[in-house]
């Protein structure tokens, strides 16, 4: 999906720090191993776009959201703190009430003129989430940056930049839900936040008992990836019922698998074909699996807003993945998914300690985060639901699946991918030829 972009300019007010509306505890809080792993040390950018609503004619979204933030931070006060380093570079939260960064802005354009470009990868991200100099580090920086941008039509965008170490997508969802509830008059959030990060910390005698391919690093492959990572371009692809039906036709009619298993297997296989790797090259597919609500002995409380996921990885030789039917990839995905149990989770947290908080492998690894059910497109701050809400772009080799409607109003999902230009051309062609012949806006070169 290629976006038509129009030039826009924004005027940013001076950034402010929003602090909790009442004094909150000043203390040091410890993070879990899953929070403080190598691959959570980045900021996630989320954008939500709201249409003009005549019922809110005299209401200023920036003021309302800013006031709501101040109330929400009373319950989520660690987010108003700063990360500090303890022994062995272990991160902790200094709950000092310094506050979160808040920016008001005005854009010289009507929201509807932006069309599909509000969807990932959003070309206006830097304007809608202004990177305040010195604010985007991990240690000693604000853990949350929020920008409200008003459009000339009365619509607006809300951008959130969140330090991933503090929370995952479901944690962000809880926070935004609380913000939405408090803005609309509630005195407390319906689900109270729970810290309890020790639930997902390593055992007292850490021990790796399972296979964790997501941390396997092939040096040559890593070097090859590092050499192309600055040359990547980003495109998004829409998969609605028509596209999914075509992909489904690649597997036997009575074949049992989920839509997610089918789609990620398809993306992994054809992305690998597009990269044109040596047949013996090892490729990875990693997908974060949320461990909340699973029937496990490790019970994560409803209000837990920390990172609560593991990252199983599927491994294959490029030649076998590319030459075999799609069911080959699906079977690999299903097999790894079925291995997740209490022991796997404990082994995962122990590995993070034993191996010194490693990052996920960079050896031809494709990471897919499934945000279909997070509900970033559901949050109502008084103006109704957003016309789009979700993670605004792919991050390096991490792609996010977000629910969207296409220009015909059909529900589906959108996924943005990063690939080198030649590989992107190949991937676009194969996806277009197989699935997207009836979808407008896909440029085939």
């Amino acid at each position: 999906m290629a976006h038509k972009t129009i030039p826009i300019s924004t005027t940013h007010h001076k950034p402010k720090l929003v602090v909790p509306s009442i004094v909150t505890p000043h203390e040091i809080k410890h993070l879990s191993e899953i929070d403080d792993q190598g691959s959570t040390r980045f900021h996630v950018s989320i954008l939500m776009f709201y249409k003009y609503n005549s019922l809110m004619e005299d209401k200023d979204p920036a003021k309302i959201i800013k006031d709501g933030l101040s109330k929400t931070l009373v319950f989520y006060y660690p987010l108003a703190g700063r990360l500090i380093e303890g022994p062995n570079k272990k991160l902790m939260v200094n709950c000092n009430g310094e506050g979160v960064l808040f920016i008001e802005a005005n854009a010289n354009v009507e929201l509807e003129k932006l069309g599909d470009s509000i969807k990932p990868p959003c070309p206006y991200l830097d304007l809608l989430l202004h990177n305040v100099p010195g604010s985007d580090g991990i240690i000693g920086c604000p853990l949350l940056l929020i920008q409200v941008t008003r459009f000339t039509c009365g619509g607006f965008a809300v951008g959130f930049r969140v330090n991933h170490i503090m929370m995952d997508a479901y944690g962000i969802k809880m926070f935004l839900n609380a913000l939405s509830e408090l803005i609309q008059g509630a005195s407390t959030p319906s689900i109270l936040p729970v810290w309890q990060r020790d639930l997902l910390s390593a055992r007292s005698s850490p021990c790796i008992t399972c296979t964790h391919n997501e941390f396997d690093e092939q040096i040559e492959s890593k070097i090859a990836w590092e050499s192309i990572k600055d040359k990547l371009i980003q495109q998004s692809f829409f998969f609605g019922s028509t596209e999914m039906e075509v992909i489904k036709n690649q597997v036997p009619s009575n074949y049992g698998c989920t839509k997610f298993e089918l789609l990620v297997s398809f993306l992994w296989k054809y992305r690998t074909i597009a990269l044109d790797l040596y047949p013996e090259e090892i490729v990875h597919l990693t997908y974060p699996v949320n461990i909340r609500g699973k029937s496990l002995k490790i019970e994560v409380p409803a209000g837990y807003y920390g990172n609560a996921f593991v990252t199983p990885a599927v491994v294959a030789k490029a030649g076998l993945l590319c030459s075999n039917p799609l069911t080959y990839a699906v079977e690999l995905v299903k097999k790894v998914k079925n291995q997740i149990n209490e022991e796997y989770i404990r082994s995962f947290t122990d590995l993070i300690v034993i191996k010194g908080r490693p990052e996920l492998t960079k050896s031809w690894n494709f990471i897919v985060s499934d945000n279909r059910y997070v509900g970033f497109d559901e949050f109502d701050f008084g103006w109704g639901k957003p016309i789009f809400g979700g993670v605004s772009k792919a991050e390096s080799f991490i792609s996010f699946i977000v629910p969207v409607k296409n220009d015909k109003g059909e529900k589906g999902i959108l996924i943005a991918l990063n690939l080198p230009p030649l590989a992107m051309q190949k991937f676009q062609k194969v996806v277009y030829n197989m699935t997207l012949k009836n979808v407008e806006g896909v440029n085939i070169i």
Side-chain angles (χ1 to χ4, degrees), residues 89-107:
K89 297 195 171 178
K90 172 95 173 123
L91 296 181
M92 300 178 289
V93 189
N94 179 13
C95 303
N96 57 12
E98 265 189 61
V100 301
L101 264 181
F102 184 82
I103 306 167
E104 278 183 57
N106 293 297

Side-chain angles (χ1 to χ4, degrees), residues 7-39:
I8 70 168
S9 66
T10 51
T11 312
H12 295 90
H13 295 217
K14 192 179 173 189
K16 293 175 180 159
L17 284 168
V18 176
V19 299
S21 58
I22 60 171
V23 177
T24 51
H26 279 221
E27 59 191 1
I28 303 291
K29 281 194 173 289
H30 294 273
L31 294 156
S32 78
E33 260 64 64
I34 295 180
D35 293 323
D36 185 17
Q37 57 176 300
S39 293

Side-chain angles (χ1 to χ4, degrees), residues 103-409:
I103 306 167
E104 278 183 57
N106 293 297
N108 68 339
V109 69
E110 294 178 1
L111 173 55
E112 43 268 30
K113 293 266 169 66
L114 301 184
D116 262 353
S117 62
I118 65 174
K119 295 170 185 172
C122 180
Y124 310 112
L125 178 62
D126 293 342
L127 296 173
L128 300 175
L129 260 177
H130 175 57
N131 184 13
V132 177
S135 72
D136 62 350
I138 296 300
I139 295 163
C141 290
L143 299 168
L144 193 55
L145 180 147
I146 303 98
Q147 180 175 321
V148 177
T149 307
R150 307 177 195 91
F151 297 106
T152 54
C153 55
F156 62 97
V158 190
F160 291 89
R161 192 187 73 193
V162 187
N163 187 323
H164 200 333
I165 286 169
M166 293 300 288
M167 45 191 181
D168 59 13
Y170 281 84
I172 300 168
K173 174 186 182 173
M174 282 175 219
F175 176 79
L176 293 179
N177 209 45
L179 174 62
S180 162
E181 289 173 343
L182 294 173
I183 281 173
Q184 298 199 65
S187 54
T188 58
S190 56
I191 298 173
L192 287 170
V194 171
W195 189 258
Q196 285 186 21
R197 306 287 171 113
D198 57 316
L199 284 171
L200 296 173
S201 288
R203 294 174 278 208
S204 53
S205 299
C207 180
I208 303 167
T209 53
C210 299
T211 304
H212 299 281
N213 294 315
E214 63 268 40
F215 297 109
D216 290 345
E217 200 74 89
Q218 277 92 25
I219 299 302
E220 283 181 20
S221 307
K222 181 182 178 179
I223 292 167
W225 171 261
E226 293 285 346
S227 70
I228 64 163
K229 74 172 188 184
D230 296 328
K231 304 181 181 87
L232 302 176
I233 58 170
Q234 191 164 147
Q235 286 277 9
S236 59
F237 298 86
F238 176 80
F239 293 91
S241 55
T242 311
E243 292 77 27
M244 288 308 298
E245 198 58 42
V246 175
I247 297 172
K248 210 172 163 185
N249 288 339
Q250 287 196 43
V251 299
S253 57
N254 57 352
Y255 186 68
C257 67
T258 68
K259 190 188 272 191
F260 175 77
E261 289 163 353
L262 190 61
L263 180 62
V264 294
S265 301
F266 170 84
L267 292 168
W268 185 38
K269 175 178 175 175
Y270 287 99
R271 177 182 179 273
T272 306
I273 290 171
L275 283 166
D276 197 18
L277 305 175
Y278 292 117
E280 292 299 302
E281 190 77 74
I282 302 292
V283 290
H284 294 75
L285 166 68
T286 304
Y287 49 97
V289 174
N290 177 26
I291 56 179
R292 294 174 177 84
K294 299 269 190 292
S295 50
L296 300 165
K297 286 179 192 148
I298 302 165
E299 207 162 310
V300 180
Y304 189 90
Y305 64 101
N307 290 286
F309 63 86
V310 289
T311 47
V314 190
V315 177
K317 283 186 175 177
L320 288 172
L321 176 65
C322 299
S323 61
N324 269 298
L326 187 58
T327 47
Y328 175 80
V330 180
E331 283 304 311
L332 291 174
V333 171
K334 283 163 69 172
K335 187 179 172 191
V336 169
K337 208 170 164 186
N338 291 336
Q339 289 169 356
I340 296 167
N341 54 23
E342 290 86 350
E343 190 54 41
Y344 182 93
I345 297 163
R346 291 296 178 210
S347 175
F348 178 79
T349 53
D350 289 356
L351 178 147
I352 291 167
V353 170
I354 291 168
K355 296 207 171 176
R357 293 183 286 284
E359 288 188 47
L360 294 170
T361 179
K362 291 186 171 68
S363 304
W364 301 119
N365 192 5
F366 179 37
I367 302 177
V368 184
S369 179
D370 184 6
N371 282 197
R372 282 175 302 166
Y373 306 115
V374 178
F376 291 138
D377 55 346
E378 298 282 321
F379 294 108
D380 183 351
F381 301 123
W383 280 261
K385 290 178 181 177
I387 52 171
F388 171 78
V391 178
S392 54
K393 61 171 184 171
E395 298 275 354
S396 184
F397 51 102
I398 309 173
S399 289
F400 299 87
I401 293 178
V402 294
V404 296
K405 284 183 182 170
N406 67 4
D407 51 6
K408 300 184 183 92

